[in-house]
Amino acid sequence: MKKITLPLLASVAFLSSPPSVRAGEYVNYGGGGAITQLPQINVPSLCECFSPNTATFSVYAAGLSPSDDRGELDGSMGMGISGNYFFSENVGIEGDATWFAEDSTVNLITGSIVLRAPIPSLCLAPYAMAGIGVHANGVNQAIAHLGGGVDFRLVNCFGLFADARYTWADETSNYTVIRGGVRFSF
């Protein structure tokens, strides 16, 4: 009974105290009756990496997986670089170049519009992308893609990302590109 009584009495005493005693409320510092508000403490959010007008540079590993067995493309690994710029917290553009180790190297150069939904408390931003580009490996062709991924920021807005996108090709098999790598903000 004593263990419950003391905390209960303390709570009642705090709630019944005048407002000038409680934190964040108006306080009269004595003297001339002027009432002022205590200053607010601004605590920065955990992650401020998804602000408007920001750019990043990425280096990544990539995998190419054809959608059918026509034999024009093999599943292969590659690497690439990309850069993006976000006009607002949610809308940006990305340009990338990817090289895959096929019988003849597959070169992809694409541009995308990126829509993201940052969750600053987790330093995480899921995103969707759509774009067009060029696929070259003996056959030069136009491509279009649609996909999505996640961007996770660590220390000083350095981060990791992973995404996948389905690619429609004019002359060869359609294929999926899966990317994962590191992202540097500047």
Side-chain angles (χ1 to χ4, degrees):
M1 182 72 169
K2 290 181 185 179
K3 291 180 181 180
I4 297 174
T5 306
L6 186 58
L8 183 60
L9 288 174
S11 298
V12 170
F14 174 76
L15 293 175
S16 64
S17 65
S20 63
V21 175
R22 292 185 225 143
E25 304 248 347
Y26 291 99
V27 175
N28 184 345
Y29 288 106
I35 297 177
T36 60
Q37 186 174 12
L38 293 174
Q40 296 294 322
I41 299 172
N42 292 325
V43 179
S45 69
L46 178 63
C47 184
E48 296 177 358
C49 300
F50 302 112
S51 302
N53 300 315
T54 57
T56 64
F57 175 76
S58 304
V59 178
Y60 56 87
L64 182 141
S65 176
S67 63
D68 61 28
D69 294 329
R70 295 191 332 197
E72 301 157 329
L73 297 172
D74 296 324
S76 63
M77 297 297 293
M79 59 177 272
I81 57 173
S82 70
N84 65 34
Y85 181 81
F86 278 84
F87 304 103
S88 72
E89 185 177 272
N90 304 105
V91 179
I93 56 174
E94 178 179 89
D96 64 81
T98 311
W99 300 271
F100 293 99
E102 288 275 327
D103 292 336
S104 62
T105 303
V106 173
N107 302 301
L108 294 179
I109 299 173
T110 63
S112 305
I113 294 176
V114 182
L115 303 175
R116 69 180 178 190
I119 306 167
S121 62
L122 299 176
C123 287
L124 185 75
Y127 59 90
M129 61 181 6
I132 58 173
V134 175
H135 164 126
N137 73 326
V139 175
N140 294 335
Q141 59 185 325
I143 57 172
H145 64 264
L146 181 65
V150 65
D151 189 353
F152 179 64
R153 300 299 171 90
L154 302 166
V155 179
N156 295 327
C157 294
F158 164 80
L160 305 172
F161 78 98
D163 60 34
R165 59 188 183 193
Y166 189 79
T167 303
W168 292 272
D170 277 347
E171 298 179 32
T172 62
S173 303
N174 297 335
Y175 51 89
T176 301
V177 174
I178 300 168
R179 306 182 308 166
V182 296
R183 193 159 272 169
F184 305 91
S185 293
F186 57 92

